[in-house]
Amino acid sequence: QVQLVESGGGLVQPGGSLRLSCVASGRIVSILHMGWYRQALGKERELVAVISSGSSPTYADSAKGRFTISRDNGVNTLDLQMNDLKPEDTAVYYCNVRVVLVYGTGDYWGQGTQVTVSS
């Protein structure tokens, strides 16, 4: 009932930048929060950044000062601007949304987009 479409991943050299985008669609009454997670090979999935209306964005310690999350509530889009990328940022990045539907709440995930930082 809810679909998330991600884009913006790719290969970049250390110190470079990428911008990830996520678009949510479906019979959504409202969005409680949207966030970005990542999972490196052989590691657990971890929170990168999350944002919700009326609250300041929350970032992982490794992302503070380098990444910026932003949301366009009108069209249900979420962006993650990533600057000064490091090899340890290499992972599959996933968009996540918690939404209010007509019958309750639910969590949905995007398909993931690969980010590779290498020289």
Side-chain angles (χ1 to χ4, degrees), residues 55-71:
S55 300
S56 299
T58 299
Y59 297 92
D61 288 341
S62 61
K64 292 178 180 177
R66 300 188 298 122
F67 294 3
T68 302
I69 189 171
S70 60
R71 174 182 170 185

Side-chain angles (χ1 to χ4, degrees), residues 13-88:
Q13 294 186 351
S17 298
L18 287 173
R19 188 177 184 90
L20 306 182
S21 295
C22 174
V23 180
S25 62
R27 295 186 177 183
I28 300 170
V29 176
S30 64
I31 296 178
L32 299 178
H33 73 253
M34 301 182 75
W36 287 97
Y37 294 71
R38 68 186 181 190
Q39 186 168 16
L41 187 63
K43 296 186 177 181
E44 298 293 320
R45 188 172 299 185
E46 64 177 357
L47 174 71
V48 178
V50 63
I51 190 171
S52 60
S53 297
S55 300
S56 299
T58 299
Y59 297 92
D61 288 341
S62 61
K64 292 178 180 177
R66 300 188 298 122
F67 294 3
T68 302
I69 189 171
S70 60
R71 174 182 170 185
D72 187 330
N73 294 327
V75 294
N76 295 334
T77 60
L78 180 73
D79 291 340
L80 183 68
Q81 178 65 46
M82 304 187 293
N83 297 325
D84 192 25
L85 284 162
K86 304 178 183 298
E88 53 263 39

Side-chain angles (χ1 to χ4, degrees), residues 6-12 18-21 82 91 93 113-116:
E6 301 160 322
S7 62
L11 174 65
V12 65
L18 287 173
R19 188 177 184 90
L20 306 182
S21 295
M82 304 187 293
Y93 284 69
T113 183
Q114 177 70 49
V115 172
T116 302

